[in-house]
């Protein structure tokens, strides 16, 4: 079994990151799904949709939810998934290095994978001091 990965993002962000990950890795080692949250979305309906996706991804080891912006609607919805009984951890600040790091450590348990995601996101940032 393995952890499922759910990207909850503003429109077009999640699918674009998954496409980029597929460009880098021919085969994704974890089950990955996306939920796009439109600006006009009803948060209650999006929570129900996200819960369906999380349940489908959870093969017994939980679901790592990656959101694009802390405090925004996709993140707020993702943080409510645990209250519905799902075994979910949420990490925000999603970027491609974060997603790739998660996929490269597919054998890790949910709690450790959440920390790896955060580390990968931070580690993927570089400032050119030229």
């Amino acid at each position: 079994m393995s952890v499922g990965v759910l990207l909850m993002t503003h429109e077009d962000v999640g699918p674009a990151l998954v496409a980029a990950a597929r460009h880098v890795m021919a085969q994704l080692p974890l089950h990955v799904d996306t939920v796009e949250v439109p600006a006009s979305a009803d948060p209650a309906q999006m929570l129900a949709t996200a819960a369906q996706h999380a349940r489908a991804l959870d093969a017994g080891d939980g679901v790592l939810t990656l959101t694009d912006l802390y405090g925004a609607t996709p993140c707020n919805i993702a943080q409510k998934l645990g209250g519905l009984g799902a075994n979910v951890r949420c990490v925000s600040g999603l970027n491609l290095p974060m997603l790739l790091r998660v996929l490269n450590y597919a054998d890790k348990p949910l709690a450790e994978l959440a920390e790896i995601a955060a580390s990968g996101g931070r580690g993927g940032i570089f400032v050119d001091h030229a």
Side-chain angles (χ1 to χ4, degrees):
M1 286 200 257
S2 62
V3 171
V5 180
L6 178 61
L7 278 59
M8 289 203 55
T9 66
H10 292 88
E11 291 178 286
D12 302 325
V13 175
L17 288 170
V18 172
R22 284 198 169 104
H23 177 77
V24 174
M25 307 173 90
Q27 180 82 17
L28 300 185
L30 293 172
H31 293 289
V32 179
D33 197 1
T34 62
V35 172
E36 298 176 81
V37 181
S40 61
D42 172 21
Q45 178 56 45
M46 292 308 304
L47 178 59
T49 298
Q52 281 182 313
H53 285 259
R55 280 192 293 275
L57 282 169
D58 191 353
D61 291 328
V63 175
L64 179 62
T65 305
L66 304 175
T67 69
D68 54 359
L69 183 61
Y70 178 74
T73 303
C75 180
N76 294 338
I77 293 168
Q79 289 180 323
K80 293 179 181 175
L81 289 172
L84 300 178
N87 183 16
V88 176
R89 293 291 306 269
C90 182
V91 179
S92 16
L94 174 61
N95 58 24
L96 184 56
M98 178 188 289
L99 179 57
L100 292 174
R101 181 72 60 91
V102 165
L103 295 172
N104 276 297
Y105 288 89
D107 61 326
K108 300 298 182 187
L110 179 58
E112 189 174 346
L113 203 52
E115 296 301 324
I116 288 168
S119 172
R122 285 188 300 269
I125 298 170
F126 174 77
V127 177
D128 181 3
H129 295 287

